[in-house]
Amino acid sequence: MKVLIAGGAGFIGSTVASALTDAGHTPVVLDNLVTGRREFCRGRAFQLGDIGDADVVDRVLRRHPDIGAVVHCAALIAVPDSVARPVDYYRANVSATLEFVDRLLAHGVHRLIFSSSAAIYAPDADLGVDEASPLEAGSPYAQTKLVVERMLADIAASSPLRVLSLRYFNPIGADPAMRTGLQTAVPSHALGRLMLAHRAGVPFAVNGLDWPTRDGSGLRDYVHVWDLAVAHLRALERFDDIFAVGAAGHTAVNLGSGTGTTVLELVAAFNAAVGRPVLVREAPRRPGDAAGAYARGRRARELLGWRARRDLATGIADSLAWHDRRERLLRDLAPRRRQLAG
C-alpha cells in the first residue's frame, strides 16, 4: 500500500516510514521541516510543505492518486512551549488538520491514522488509564489533541472518513537500525534532558518531587519508538477489519508499555547504562506539567494484536546509541559544510 505520512521527517513519522518500508509498503512524506529532517526522507517520495496548505496537499494527492491511507504525525508537541504560544499550537495542530482532512475527503482518501496523545486523560487514582478513562487536557498542547480527536469524530460521523486515533504515551529510543532518531537539539522530555545533563556534566533537574507517586517524582509510561512504528503497521493492516460495517467512524487506542516509571526510576535506569552517573536536583514544576499516567493496553491487544516488546533499558540504550551516531555524523559533516561556506 502507498501511505502518505504527514510529518514523516520527524522522530516518530520517519520511524513509521521505515517500518512500513521494511514491510513492503511505500511511504510518501509530506513535511514542512519545522522540526523534521530532510535526510530522514532520503530514498523516499518527499514533498516540502504544510498540511494546512491546500495547494500543496492537492499536489501530493494528484501526484500519488494511489495513496490508500494517511498517517498524520504533523504537530507541535512541546507542552511548556504550548503554554507560552497557544495560538501557534492551535493553528498548527487544529486549523491545519481541518484543512488537511478537507483535502483528503476531496480526493477520496478515507483511511486516517491520527497521532494523538495520552496527555488528554484524567488518570485514575493509580495513574492508570484506558480508552474509557475521563478526558481532561491539562495544557494547550493536550487540548489541541483532544479538539482534533473530537473534530475528526464529528467529520467521520457525516462522511466516509474513518479515523483511528493512536494515543501515544512517552516515546523513547530510536530505529534499531539507526536510520533515524530524535532530531531535536534541545528536547523537552525527561530522557532527552537527562542525556543533555549527562553530556554537560551537570545535575538533572527533576520538576517537582511532590507528585502523588511512590517517590514524589512524575510518572511516565515509556514506550519504544519502534514499538510505536510497529503499532502503526498493525493498524494499517487491520484498518478495514477495525472499521467493519456498522463500526463507529472514529476509534481510539492507547499505545504504551503498560508500565509506569517515575522520573527518579528513569534516572536510576539511565545511570545503570552509563559510566558516569548523573546527579539530580529538585526544580519547580513547569507550566502544563502533570503527575503522568501509564497505559492499560487491552484494546491495543484486541484490535491491533499489539503489545510493547522493548523495555526501558532497551529504549535508553538505543537513545544513547542514536545520540552517539548523530554526533559522529555532525562531526563528519562539519568539514564539508565549512568547505561549502568558503
Side-chain angles (χ1 to χ4, degrees), residues 34-35 73-90 92-93 117 119 138-145 170 182-184 186-190 193 286-289:
V34 169
T35 58
C73 299
L76 300 177
I77 63 170
V79 170
D81 198 34
S82 77
V83 175
R85 301 189 296 117
V87 171
D88 292 342
Y89 273 68
Y90 277 94
N93 295 0
S117 172
S139 69
Y141 160 70
Q143 194 69 260
T144 65
K145 291 295 186 180
N170 298 81
L182 186 67
Q183 78 279 17
T184 308
V186 185
S188 61
H189 69 282
R193 294 188 295 112
R286 299 169 301 175
D289 276 347

Side-chain angles (χ1 to χ4, degrees), residues 65-246:
D66 52 342
I67 283 173
V70 176
V71 176
H72 176 11
C73 299
L76 300 177
I77 63 170
V79 170
D81 198 34
S82 77
V83 175
R85 301 189 296 117
V87 171
D88 292 342
Y89 273 68
Y90 277 94
R91 180 182 294 116
N93 295 0
V94 179
S95 299
T97 296
L98 180 59
E99 297 303 321
F100 185 47
V101 170
D102 178 63
R103 303 322 303 154
L104 297 181
L105 287 169
H107 288 265
V109 180
H110 299 146
R111 298 184 186 97
L112 176 62
I113 295 175
F114 173 58
S115 296
S116 191
S117 172
I120 67 175
Y121 284 118
D124 295 338
D126 69 346
L127 299 184
V129 296
D130 58 31
E131 291 81 1
S133 295
L135 302 179
E136 183 182 273
S139 69
Y141 160 70
Q143 194 69 260
T144 65
K145 291 295 186 180
L146 183 54
V147 168
V148 168
E149 278 204 32
R150 288 172 171 166
M151 179 178 75
L152 293 175
D154 286 342
I155 295 170
S158 61
S159 76
L161 186 71
R162 294 295 173 261
V163 183
L164 181 59
S165 290
L166 300 181
R167 294 172 179 168
Y168 305 163
F169 280 69
N170 298 81
I172 60 171
D175 172 8
M178 294 292 122
R179 290 168 287 191
T180 57
L182 186 67
Q183 78 279 17
T184 308
V186 185
S188 61
H189 69 282
L191 180 56
R193 294 188 295 112
L194 186 54
M195 291 171 64
L196 288 178
H198 179 259
R199 180 183 179 187
V202 299
F204 170 67
V206 178
N207 297 108
L209 286 172
D210 56 350
W211 296 104
T213 65
R214 50 186 168 266
D215 60 21
S217 63
L219 180 140
R220 303 290 183 264
D221 184 332
Y222 295 103
V223 57
H224 198 289
V225 69
W226 190 254
D227 282 331
L228 286 183
V230 170
H232 287 74
L233 174 62
R234 298 285 179 268
L236 286 166
E237 293 172 340
R238 299 190 178 203
F239 196 96
D240 290 342
D241 292 332
I242 293 170
F243 293 101
V245 176

